[in-house]
Short mmCIF file of all heavy atoms in Angstrom, two decimals:
data_model
loop_
_atom_site.label_atom_id
_atom_site.label_comp_id
_atom_site.label_asym_id
_atom_site.label_seq_id
_atom_site.Cartn_x
_atom_site.Cartn_y
_atom_site.Cartn_z
N MET A 1 0.86 -1.19 0.00
CA MET A 1 0.00 0.00 0.00
C MET A 1 0.89 1.24 0.00
O MET A 1 1.71 1.41 0.90
CB MET A 1 -0.90 -0.03 1.25
CG MET A 1 -2.06 0.95 1.16
SD MET A 1 -3.03 0.90 2.68
CE MET A 1 -3.89 -0.67 2.50
N PRO A 2 0.77 2.05 -0.99
CA PRO A 2 1.70 3.19 -1.09
C PRO A 2 1.29 4.37 -0.21
O PRO A 2 0.14 4.50 0.18
CB PRO A 2 1.60 3.58 -2.57
CG PRO A 2 0.22 3.19 -2.95
CD PRO A 2 -0.13 1.99 -2.12
N PHE A 3 2.26 5.19 0.03
CA PHE A 3 2.01 6.44 0.72
C PHE A 3 1.90 7.56 -0.31
O PHE A 3 2.58 7.55 -1.31
CB PHE A 3 3.15 6.77 1.68
CG PHE A 3 3.09 6.02 2.96
CD1 PHE A 3 3.85 4.89 3.14
CD2 PHE A 3 2.28 6.46 3.99
CE1 PHE A 3 3.80 4.19 4.33
CE2 PHE A 3 2.22 5.77 5.18
CZ PHE A 3 2.98 4.62 5.36
N TYR A 4 1.03 8.49 -0.04
CA TYR A 4 0.95 9.66 -0.88
C TYR A 4 1.29 10.87 -0.02
O TYR A 4 0.78 11.00 1.09
CB TYR A 4 -0.46 9.81 -1.47
CG TYR A 4 -0.83 8.64 -2.34
CD1 TYR A 4 -1.58 7.59 -1.84
CD2 TYR A 4 -0.39 8.58 -3.66
CE1 TYR A 4 -1.90 6.51 -2.63
CE2 TYR A 4 -0.71 7.51 -4.45
CZ TYR A 4 -1.46 6.47 -3.95
OH TYR A 4 -1.76 5.40 -4.73
N ASP A 5 2.15 11.70 -0.56
CA ASP A 5 2.57 12.88 0.19
C ASP A 5 1.73 14.07 -0.23
O ASP A 5 1.47 14.28 -1.41
CB ASP A 5 4.05 13.17 -0.08
CG ASP A 5 4.94 12.11 0.54
OD1 ASP A 5 4.68 11.76 1.70
OD2 ASP A 5 5.87 11.65 -0.13
N PHE A 6 1.34 14.83 0.76
CA PHE A 6 0.53 16.01 0.50
C PHE A 6 1.10 17.21 1.24
O PHE A 6 1.84 17.08 2.20
CB PHE A 6 -0.92 15.77 0.94
CG PHE A 6 -1.62 14.75 0.10
CD1 PHE A 6 -1.63 13.42 0.48
CD2 PHE A 6 -2.25 15.11 -1.07
CE1 PHE A 6 -2.26 12.46 -0.30
CE2 PHE A 6 -2.88 14.17 -1.86
CZ PHE A 6 -2.89 12.84 -1.47
N TYR A 7 0.71 18.36 0.75
CA TYR A 7 1.20 19.61 1.31
C TYR A 7 0.01 20.53 1.52
O TYR A 7 -0.81 20.72 0.62
CB TYR A 7 2.20 20.22 0.32
CG TYR A 7 2.66 21.61 0.68
CD1 TYR A 7 3.60 21.80 1.68
CD2 TYR A 7 2.15 22.71 0.00
CE1 TYR A 7 4.03 23.08 2.00
CE2 TYR A 7 2.58 23.98 0.32
CZ TYR A 7 3.51 24.16 1.31
OH TYR A 7 3.92 25.42 1.63
N CYS A 8 -0.10 21.07 2.72
CA CYS A 8 -1.19 21.99 3.02
C CYS A 8 -0.74 23.41 2.75
O CYS A 8 0.26 23.87 3.30
CB CYS A 8 -1.61 21.84 4.49
SG CYS A 8 -2.87 23.06 4.96
N GLU A 9 -1.47 24.07 1.87
CA GLU A 9 -1.08 25.44 1.52
C GLU A 9 -1.52 26.44 2.59
O GLU A 9 -1.13 27.61 2.54
CB GLU A 9 -1.68 25.81 0.16
CG GLU A 9 -1.10 24.94 -0.95
CD GLU A 9 -1.62 25.31 -2.33
OE1 GLU A 9 -2.67 25.96 -2.42
OE2 GLU A 9 -0.96 24.93 -3.31
N ASP A 10 -2.32 26.01 3.49
CA ASP A 10 -2.76 26.92 4.55
C ASP A 10 -1.73 27.01 5.67
O ASP A 10 -1.35 28.10 6.09
CB ASP A 10 -4.10 26.45 5.11
CG ASP A 10 -5.24 26.69 4.13
OD1 ASP A 10 -5.08 27.55 3.24
OD2 ASP A 10 -6.28 26.03 4.26
N CYS A 11 -1.29 25.88 6.15
CA CYS A 11 -0.36 25.90 7.29
C CYS A 11 1.00 25.33 6.91
O CYS A 11 1.87 25.19 7.75
CB CYS A 11 -0.95 25.15 8.49
SG CYS A 11 -1.09 23.37 8.24
N HIS A 12 1.18 25.01 5.63
CA HIS A 12 2.47 24.56 5.11
C HIS A 12 2.96 23.29 5.79
O HIS A 12 4.14 23.09 6.00
CB HIS A 12 3.52 25.67 5.26
CG HIS A 12 3.07 26.97 4.65
ND1 HIS A 12 2.96 27.15 3.29
CD2 HIS A 12 2.65 28.12 5.21
CE1 HIS A 12 2.51 28.37 3.06
NE2 HIS A 12 2.31 28.99 4.20
N LEU A 13 2.02 22.46 6.12
CA LEU A 13 2.39 21.17 6.71
C LEU A 13 2.51 20.14 5.59
O LEU A 13 1.67 20.09 4.69
CB LEU A 13 1.30 20.73 7.70
CG LEU A 13 1.50 19.34 8.30
CD1 LEU A 13 2.62 19.35 9.33
CD2 LEU A 13 0.21 18.83 8.92
N GLU A 14 3.54 19.35 5.67
CA GLU A 14 3.65 18.21 4.76
C GLU A 14 3.27 16.96 5.52
O GLU A 14 3.71 16.74 6.65
CB GLU A 14 5.08 18.09 4.22
CG GLU A 14 5.34 19.03 3.07
CD GLU A 14 6.64 18.68 2.35
OE1 GLU A 14 6.80 17.52 1.95
OE2 GLU A 14 7.48 19.57 2.22
N PHE A 15 2.44 16.15 4.90
CA PHE A 15 2.03 14.92 5.58
C PHE A 15 1.81 13.84 4.54
O PHE A 15 1.68 14.10 3.35
CB PHE A 15 0.77 15.16 6.41
CG PHE A 15 -0.40 15.69 5.60
CD1 PHE A 15 -1.39 14.81 5.16
CD2 PHE A 15 -0.51 17.03 5.30
CE1 PHE A 15 -2.47 15.29 4.42
CE2 PHE A 15 -1.59 17.51 4.56
CZ PHE A 15 -2.57 16.64 4.12
N ALA A 16 1.78 12.63 5.01
CA ALA A 16 1.62 11.49 4.11
C ALA A 16 0.34 10.75 4.46
O ALA A 16 -0.04 10.64 5.62
CB ALA A 16 2.81 10.55 4.23
N ILE A 17 -0.33 10.29 3.42
CA ILE A 17 -1.53 9.49 3.61
C ILE A 17 -1.30 8.14 2.98
O ILE A 17 -0.76 8.04 1.88
CB ILE A 17 -2.74 10.19 2.97
CG1 ILE A 17 -3.14 11.40 3.79
CG2 ILE A 17 -3.93 9.21 2.85
CD1 ILE A 17 -4.28 12.19 3.20
N ARG A 18 -1.69 7.12 3.68
CA ARG A 18 -1.54 5.78 3.16
C ARG A 18 -2.89 5.32 2.64
O ARG A 18 -3.88 5.32 3.37
CB ARG A 18 -1.06 4.84 4.28
CG ARG A 18 -0.61 3.51 3.78
CD ARG A 18 -0.04 2.73 4.93
NE ARG A 18 0.61 1.51 4.46
CZ ARG A 18 1.21 0.65 5.25
NH1 ARG A 18 1.24 0.88 6.55
NH2 ARG A 18 1.77 -0.42 4.76
N ALA A 19 -2.93 4.95 1.39
CA ALA A 19 -4.21 4.57 0.80
C ALA A 19 -3.96 3.64 -0.37
O ALA A 19 -2.89 3.65 -0.98
CB ALA A 19 -4.96 5.80 0.32
N THR A 20 -4.94 2.85 -0.67
CA THR A 20 -4.83 2.00 -1.85
C THR A 20 -5.10 2.85 -3.09
O THR A 20 -5.67 3.93 -3.02
CB THR A 20 -5.85 0.86 -1.80
OG1 THR A 20 -7.15 1.43 -1.85
CG2 THR A 20 -5.70 0.04 -0.54
N ILE A 21 -4.67 2.32 -4.23
CA ILE A 21 -4.94 3.02 -5.48
C ILE A 21 -6.45 3.19 -5.65
O ILE A 21 -6.94 4.22 -6.10
CB ILE A 21 -4.38 2.20 -6.65
CG1 ILE A 21 -2.90 1.93 -6.40
CG2 ILE A 21 -4.65 2.92 -7.98
CD1 ILE A 21 -1.92 2.63 -7.23
N GLN A 22 -7.19 2.17 -5.28
CA GLN A 22 -8.64 2.24 -5.42
C GLN A 22 -9.22 3.36 -4.57
O GLN A 22 -10.09 4.10 -5.01
CB GLN A 22 -9.28 0.90 -4.99
CG GLN A 22 -9.05 -0.22 -5.98
CD GLN A 22 -7.70 -0.92 -5.80
OE1 GLN A 22 -6.90 -0.53 -4.97
NE2 GLN A 22 -7.46 -1.94 -6.60
N GLN A 23 -8.72 3.47 -3.36
CA GLN A 23 -9.21 4.55 -2.50
C GLN A 23 -8.89 5.90 -3.09
O GLN A 23 -9.69 6.83 -3.06
CB GLN A 23 -8.55 4.44 -1.12
CG GLN A 23 -9.15 3.36 -0.24
CD GLN A 23 -8.42 3.24 1.09
OE1 GLN A 23 -7.20 3.20 1.11
NE2 GLN A 23 -9.15 3.18 2.17
N LYS A 24 -7.68 6.01 -3.67
CA LYS A 24 -7.26 7.28 -4.21
C LYS A 24 -8.12 7.65 -5.42
O LYS A 24 -8.56 8.78 -5.56
CB LYS A 24 -5.79 7.19 -4.62
CG LYS A 24 -5.22 8.52 -5.05
CD LYS A 24 -3.71 8.42 -5.19
CE LYS A 24 -3.12 9.77 -5.58
NZ LYS A 24 -3.51 10.15 -6.94
N GLU A 25 -8.38 6.66 -6.27
CA GLU A 25 -9.16 6.93 -7.47
C GLU A 25 -10.62 7.23 -7.12
O GLU A 25 -11.31 7.94 -7.84
CB GLU A 25 -9.07 5.75 -8.44
CG GLU A 25 -7.69 5.68 -9.10
CD GLU A 25 -7.61 4.53 -10.08
OE1 GLU A 25 -8.50 3.67 -10.06
OE2 GLU A 25 -6.66 4.51 -10.86
N ALA A 26 -11.09 6.64 -6.04
CA ALA A 26 -12.46 6.89 -5.63
C ALA A 26 -12.61 8.27 -5.02
O ALA A 26 -13.72 8.72 -4.77
CB ALA A 26 -12.89 5.82 -4.62
N GLY A 27 -11.49 8.91 -4.78
CA GLY A 27 -11.56 10.26 -4.24
C GLY A 27 -11.30 10.27 -2.75
O GLY A 27 -12.21 10.13 -1.94
N LEU A 28 -10.03 10.40 -2.41
CA LEU A 28 -9.69 10.51 -1.00
C LEU A 28 -10.26 11.80 -0.44
O LEU A 28 -10.29 12.82 -1.11
CB LEU A 28 -8.17 10.54 -0.84
CG LEU A 28 -7.44 9.21 -0.72
CD1 LEU A 28 -5.95 9.48 -0.62
CD2 LEU A 28 -7.90 8.46 0.50
N ARG A 29 -10.68 11.72 0.79
CA ARG A 29 -11.10 12.93 1.46
C ARG A 29 -9.84 13.62 1.97
O ARG A 29 -9.25 13.20 2.96
CB ARG A 29 -12.04 12.57 2.62
CG ARG A 29 -12.58 13.78 3.33
CD ARG A 29 -13.55 13.34 4.41
NE ARG A 29 -13.96 14.48 5.23
CZ ARG A 29 -14.88 15.37 4.86
NH1 ARG A 29 -15.48 15.23 3.71
NH2 ARG A 29 -15.19 16.36 5.65
N LEU A 30 -9.45 14.65 1.27
CA LEU A 30 -8.20 15.29 1.61
C LEU A 30 -8.43 16.43 2.57
O LEU A 30 -9.15 17.38 2.27
CB LEU A 30 -7.51 15.80 0.34
CG LEU A 30 -7.06 14.68 -0.59
CD1 LEU A 30 -6.41 15.26 -1.83
CD2 LEU A 30 -6.11 13.75 0.12
N GLU A 31 -7.82 16.29 3.69
CA GLU A 31 -7.98 17.30 4.74
C GLU A 31 -6.69 17.37 5.52
O GLU A 31 -6.13 16.33 5.88
CB GLU A 31 -9.15 16.89 5.64
CG GLU A 31 -9.54 17.91 6.66
CD GLU A 31 -10.71 17.42 7.50
OE1 GLU A 31 -10.47 16.68 8.46
OE2 GLU A 31 -11.85 17.77 7.17
N CYS A 32 -6.24 18.57 5.76
CA CYS A 32 -5.01 18.72 6.52
C CYS A 32 -5.23 18.22 7.95
O CYS A 32 -6.19 18.62 8.61
CB CYS A 32 -4.60 20.18 6.53
SG CYS A 32 -3.21 20.51 7.62
N PRO A 33 -4.37 17.34 8.42
CA PRO A 33 -4.55 16.81 9.78
C PRO A 33 -4.27 17.84 10.86
O PRO A 33 -4.63 17.64 12.01
CB PRO A 33 -3.53 15.65 9.84
CG PRO A 33 -2.49 16.01 8.83
CD PRO A 33 -3.21 16.76 7.73
N GLN A 34 -3.64 18.93 10.48
CA GLN A 34 -3.28 19.94 11.47
C GLN A 34 -4.31 21.06 11.57
O GLN A 34 -4.78 21.39 12.65
CB GLN A 34 -1.91 20.54 11.13
CG GLN A 34 -1.44 21.58 12.10
CD GLN A 34 0.03 21.89 11.91
OE1 GLN A 34 0.88 21.24 12.51
NE2 GLN A 34 0.34 22.86 11.06
N CYS A 35 -4.68 21.62 10.41
CA CYS A 35 -5.58 22.78 10.46
C CYS A 35 -6.96 22.46 9.87
O CYS A 35 -7.82 23.31 9.84
CB CYS A 35 -4.95 23.96 9.73
SG CYS A 35 -4.92 23.77 7.93
N ARG A 36 -7.14 21.23 9.43
CA ARG A 36 -8.42 20.81 8.85
C ARG A 36 -8.73 21.54 7.55
O ARG A 36 -9.86 21.49 7.06
CB ARG A 36 -9.58 20.99 9.84
CG ARG A 36 -9.42 20.20 11.11
CD ARG A 36 -9.65 18.74 10.86
NE ARG A 36 -9.42 17.94 12.07
CZ ARG A 36 -9.23 16.63 12.05
NH1 ARG A 36 -9.22 15.99 10.93
NH2 ARG A 36 -9.02 15.96 13.15
N GLY A 37 -7.76 22.23 7.02
CA GLY A 37 -7.98 22.94 5.77
C GLY A 37 -8.03 21.96 4.61
O GLY A 37 -7.55 20.82 4.71
N GLN A 38 -8.60 22.40 3.53
CA GLN A 38 -8.70 21.53 2.37
C GLN A 38 -7.92 22.08 1.18
O GLN A 38 -8.10 21.65 0.05
CB GLN A 38 -10.16 21.31 2.01
CG GLN A 38 -10.89 20.63 3.18
CD GLN A 38 -12.25 20.09 2.81
OE1 GLN A 38 -12.78 20.37 1.74
NE2 GLN A 38 -12.82 19.31 3.70
N SER A 39 -7.05 23.05 1.45
CA SER A 39 -6.16 23.55 0.40
C SER A 39 -4.93 22.66 0.34
O SER A 39 -3.81 23.06 0.63
CB SER A 39 -5.75 25.00 0.70
OG SER A 39 -6.90 25.81 0.80
N VAL A 40 -5.18 21.43 0.00
CA VAL A 40 -4.15 20.40 0.05
C VAL A 40 -3.84 19.95 -1.37
O VAL A 40 -4.74 19.70 -2.16
CB VAL A 40 -4.65 19.21 0.90
CG1 VAL A 40 -3.71 18.03 0.77
CG2 VAL A 40 -4.80 19.62 2.34
N ARG A 41 -2.56 19.89 -1.65
CA ARG A 41 -2.19 19.38 -2.97
C ARG A 41 -1.18 18.25 -2.80
O ARG A 41 -0.43 18.19 -1.83
CB ARG A 41 -1.62 20.48 -3.85
CG ARG A 41 -0.37 21.14 -3.32
CD ARG A 41 0.06 22.24 -4.25
NE ARG A 41 1.15 23.02 -3.70
CZ ARG A 41 2.43 22.66 -3.77
NH1 ARG A 41 2.75 21.53 -4.34
NH2 ARG A 41 3.38 23.42 -3.26
N GLN A 42 -1.16 17.39 -3.79
CA GLN A 42 -0.29 16.23 -3.70
C GLN A 42 1.13 16.63 -4.07
O GLN A 42 1.36 17.43 -4.98
CB GLN A 42 -0.76 15.13 -4.63
CG GLN A 42 0.03 13.84 -4.45
CD GLN A 42 -0.59 12.67 -5.18
OE1 GLN A 42 -1.58 12.81 -5.88
NE2 GLN A 42 -0.02 11.51 -5.00
N VAL A 43 2.06 16.08 -3.35
CA VAL A 43 3.48 16.31 -3.62
C VAL A 43 4.05 15.04 -4.23
O VAL A 43 3.92 13.96 -3.67
CB VAL A 43 4.23 16.64 -2.32
CG1 VAL A 43 5.71 16.86 -2.60
CG2 VAL A 43 3.63 17.87 -1.65
N ILE A 44 4.62 15.21 -5.40
CA ILE A 44 5.25 14.06 -6.03
C ILE A 44 6.71 14.04 -5.61
O ILE A 44 7.49 14.89 -6.01
CB ILE A 44 5.15 14.13 -7.57
CG1 ILE A 44 3.70 14.32 -7.99
CG2 ILE A 44 5.74 12.89 -8.20
CD1 ILE A 44 2.78 13.21 -7.57
N THR A 45 7.04 13.09 -4.80
CA THR A 45 8.42 13.00 -4.32
C THR A 45 9.17 11.92 -5.09
O THR A 45 8.57 11.02 -5.68
CB THR A 45 8.46 12.65 -2.83
OG1 THR A 45 7.92 11.35 -2.66
CG2 THR A 45 7.66 13.65 -2.02
N ALA A 46 10.46 12.03 -5.06
CA ALA A 46 11.29 11.04 -5.74
C ALA A 46 11.05 9.66 -5.16
O ALA A 46 11.15 8.65 -5.84
CB ALA A 46 12.76 11.41 -5.62
N GLY A 47 10.70 9.62 -3.90
CA GLY A 47 10.52 8.32 -3.24
C GLY A 47 9.44 7.49 -3.88
O GLY A 47 9.53 6.27 -3.91
N ILE A 48 8.41 8.15 -4.40
CA ILE A 48 7.32 7.41 -5.01
C ILE A 48 7.80 6.68 -6.26
O ILE A 48 7.29 5.63 -6.61
CB ILE A 48 6.17 8.38 -5.35
CG1 ILE A 48 5.51 8.85 -4.06
CG2 ILE A 48 5.12 7.72 -6.26
CD1 ILE A 48 4.43 9.89 -4.26
N LEU A 49 8.81 7.25 -6.90
CA LEU A 49 9.28 6.69 -8.15
C LEU A 49 10.25 5.53 -7.95
O LEU A 49 10.50 4.78 -8.87
CB LEU A 49 9.96 7.78 -8.99
CG LEU A 49 9.07 8.99 -9.31
CD1 LEU A 49 9.88 10.04 -10.05
CD2 LEU A 49 7.88 8.56 -10.16
N LEU A 50 10.77 5.41 -6.76
CA LEU A 50 11.74 4.35 -6.52
C LEU A 50 11.05 3.00 -6.42
O LEU A 50 10.02 2.87 -5.78
CB LEU A 50 12.51 4.62 -5.23
CG LEU A 50 13.41 5.87 -5.26
CD1 LEU A 50 14.07 6.05 -3.92
CD2 LEU A 50 14.47 5.73 -6.34
N ARG A 51 11.67 2.03 -7.07
CA ARG A 51 11.07 0.70 -7.03
C ARG A 51 11.07 0.11 -5.63
O ARG A 51 10.24 -0.69 -5.30
CB ARG A 51 11.84 -0.23 -7.97
CG ARG A 51 11.58 0.12 -9.42
CD ARG A 51 11.79 -1.10 -10.28
NE ARG A 51 11.65 -0.75 -11.70
CZ ARG A 51 12.65 -0.30 -12.44
NH1 ARG A 51 13.83 -0.18 -11.91
NH2 ARG A 51 12.46 0.00 -13.70
N GLY A 52 12.01 0.52 -4.84
CA GLY A 52 12.11 -0.05 -3.50
C GLY A 52 11.13 0.57 -2.53
O GLY A 52 11.12 0.22 -1.36
N GLN A 53 10.30 1.46 -3.02
CA GLN A 53 9.43 2.22 -2.13
C GLN A 53 8.45 1.34 -1.37
O GLN A 53 8.10 1.62 -0.25
CB GLN A 53 8.68 3.27 -2.94
CG GLN A 53 8.16 4.44 -2.11
CD GLN A 53 6.72 4.28 -1.72
OE1 GLN A 53 6.03 3.45 -2.27
NE2 GLN A 53 6.27 5.05 -0.75
N SER A 54 8.02 0.25 -2.00
CA SER A 54 7.04 -0.60 -1.35
C SER A 54 7.69 -1.54 -0.35
O SER A 54 7.03 -2.24 0.38
CB SER A 54 6.25 -1.39 -2.40
OG SER A 54 7.14 -2.21 -3.11
N ARG A 55 9.01 -1.55 -0.37
CA ARG A 55 9.71 -2.38 0.60
C ARG A 55 9.97 -1.56 1.86
O ARG A 55 9.44 -0.47 2.02
CB ARG A 55 11.03 -2.87 0.00
CG ARG A 55 10.81 -3.79 -1.18
CD ARG A 55 12.10 -4.03 -1.91
NE ARG A 55 11.87 -4.85 -3.11
CZ ARG A 55 11.92 -6.17 -3.13
NH1 ARG A 55 12.20 -6.81 -2.03
NH2 ARG A 55 11.68 -6.84 -4.23
N SER A 56 10.80 -2.07 2.70
CA SER A 56 11.08 -1.34 3.93
C SER A 56 11.79 -0.03 3.61
O SER A 56 12.47 0.10 2.59
CB SER A 56 11.94 -2.19 4.86
OG SER A 56 13.22 -2.36 4.30
N THR A 57 11.64 0.93 4.48
CA THR A 57 12.18 2.26 4.22
C THR A 57 13.70 2.28 4.31
O THR A 57 14.32 3.22 3.86
CB THR A 57 11.60 3.27 5.21
OG1 THR A 57 11.82 2.78 6.53
CG2 THR A 57 10.12 3.48 4.96
N ASP A 58 14.27 1.26 4.90
CA ASP A 58 15.74 1.25 5.00
C ASP A 58 16.33 0.33 3.94
O ASP A 58 17.30 -0.36 4.18
CB ASP A 58 16.19 0.85 6.41
CG ASP A 58 15.58 -0.48 6.84
OD1 ASP A 58 14.90 -1.12 6.01
OD2 ASP A 58 15.79 -0.86 8.00
N ALA A 59 15.73 0.34 2.78
CA ALA A 59 16.26 -0.45 1.68
C ALA A 59 17.65 0.07 1.31
O ALA A 59 17.95 1.24 1.54
CB ALA A 59 15.33 -0.35 0.47
N PRO A 60 18.45 -0.78 0.75
CA PRO A 60 19.80 -0.34 0.36
C PRO A 60 19.74 0.87 -0.56
O PRO A 60 18.87 0.99 -1.41
CB PRO A 60 20.38 -1.56 -0.37
CG PRO A 60 19.59 -2.71 0.14
CD PRO A 60 18.22 -2.17 0.45
N THR A 61 20.67 1.76 -0.40
CA THR A 61 20.67 2.99 -1.20
C THR A 61 20.97 2.72 -2.66
O THR A 61 20.76 3.58 -3.50
CB THR A 61 21.71 3.98 -0.65
OG1 THR A 61 22.96 3.32 -0.58
CG2 THR A 61 21.31 4.49 0.70
N CYS A 62 21.45 1.51 -2.96
CA CYS A 62 21.72 1.21 -4.36
C CYS A 62 20.42 0.94 -5.11
O CYS A 62 20.40 0.86 -6.32
CB CYS A 62 22.66 0.02 -4.49
SG CYS A 62 22.01 -1.50 -3.81
N CYS A 63 19.31 0.77 -4.38
CA CYS A 63 18.03 0.58 -5.05
C CYS A 63 17.58 1.91 -5.65
O CYS A 63 17.61 2.93 -4.99
CB CYS A 63 16.97 0.09 -4.07
SG CYS A 63 17.30 -1.57 -3.50
N GLY A 64 17.17 1.90 -6.86
CA GLY A 64 16.75 3.12 -7.51
C GLY A 64 16.93 2.99 -9.00
O GLY A 64 17.07 1.89 -9.53
N PRO A 65 16.87 4.15 -9.68
CA PRO A 65 16.98 4.12 -11.15
C PRO A 65 18.25 3.42 -11.63
O PRO A 65 18.26 2.83 -12.69
CB PRO A 65 17.01 5.60 -11.54
CG PRO A 65 16.34 6.29 -10.40
CD PRO A 65 16.67 5.51 -9.17
N LYS A 66 19.32 3.51 -10.84
CA LYS A 66 20.57 2.89 -11.26
C LYS A 66 20.88 1.66 -10.41
O LYS A 66 22.04 1.39 -10.09
CB LYS A 66 21.72 3.90 -11.13
CG LYS A 66 21.58 5.07 -12.10
CD LYS A 66 22.73 6.03 -11.92
CE LYS A 66 22.58 7.21 -12.89
NZ LYS A 66 23.63 8.22 -12.68
N ALA A 67 19.84 0.96 -10.03
CA ALA A 67 20.03 -0.20 -9.16
C ALA A 67 20.97 -1.21 -9.80
O ALA A 67 20.91 -1.47 -10.99
CB ALA A 67 18.69 -0.85 -8.88
N LYS A 68 21.82 -1.72 -8.96
CA LYS A 68 22.74 -2.74 -9.47
C LYS A 68 22.00 -4.07 -9.63
O LYS A 68 21.08 -4.35 -8.87
CB LYS A 68 23.90 -2.93 -8.48
CG LYS A 68 24.75 -1.68 -8.34
CD LYS A 68 25.71 -1.85 -7.17
CE LYS A 68 26.44 -0.54 -6.90
NZ LYS A 68 27.19 -0.60 -5.65
N PRO A 69 22.40 -4.87 -10.59
CA PRO A 69 21.75 -6.18 -10.79
C PRO A 69 21.79 -6.99 -9.50
O PRO A 69 22.84 -7.10 -8.88
CB PRO A 69 22.59 -6.83 -11.89
CG PRO A 69 23.21 -5.68 -12.62
CD PRO A 69 23.44 -4.62 -11.59
N GLY A 70 20.66 -7.51 -9.13
CA GLY A 70 20.60 -8.36 -7.96
C GLY A 70 20.43 -7.61 -6.65
O GLY A 70 20.13 -8.20 -5.64
N CYS A 71 20.60 -6.31 -6.69
CA CYS A 71 20.53 -5.55 -5.46
C CYS A 71 19.12 -5.54 -4.88
O CYS A 71 18.92 -5.75 -3.70
CB CYS A 71 20.97 -4.11 -5.69
SG CYS A 71 20.66 -3.04 -4.28
N CYS A 72 18.15 -5.31 -5.72
CA CYS A 72 16.79 -5.10 -5.23
C CYS A 72 15.88 -6.29 -5.48
O CYS A 72 14.68 -6.19 -5.37
CB CYS A 72 16.19 -3.86 -5.88
SG CYS A 72 17.14 -2.38 -5.54
N SER A 73 16.45 -7.39 -5.84
CA SER A 73 15.61 -8.54 -6.13
C SER A 73 15.28 -9.30 -4.86
O SER A 73 15.91 -9.08 -3.85
CB SER A 73 16.28 -9.45 -7.15
OG SER A 73 17.50 -9.91 -6.62
ZN1 ZN B 1 -3.00 22.76 7.21
#
């Protein structure tokens, strides 16, 4: 289950929401957890693009666009 990063334009809080793709497509109820504002936009971080993202957060740093063969398998 991926994390989605969001940024609140009202209080400038960055936060992550964990949701399934289905939940996201169905329309997540986006609300800032700090100020309850709804001026929230999604932040596309490099982490989302990394293949190792669905694994543990302390995956080897060699995992990524230039992953070495066998490193992330
Ligand atoms: Zn906020």
Side-chain angles (χ1 to χ4, degrees):
M1 195 182 286
F3 281 98
Y4 298 97
D5 291 315
F6 292 93
Y7 172 77
C8 175
E9 295 183 341
D10 288 339
C11 69
H12 307 290
L13 175 74
E14 279 193 53
F15 57 98
I17 288 177
R18 192 174 189 179
T20 65
I21 305 251
Q22 287 84 357
Q23 282 177 313
K24 187 169 182 292
E25 288 181 347
L28 272 178
R29 183 177 172 79
L30 294 179
E31 187 179 83
C32 172
Q34 180 166 271
C35 72
R36 300 287 177 198
Q38 299 193 349
S39 301
V40 170
R41 60 182 172 83
Q42 187 170 4
V43 179
I44 307 299
T45 65
I48 290 175
L49 302 176
L50 294 178
R51 289 206 184 87
Q53 202 262 346
S54 61
R55 295 169 184 270
S56 67
T57 53
D58 54 6
T61 54
C62 62
C63 292
K66 294 179 181 176
K68 296 170 188 170
C71 171
C72 300
S73 61

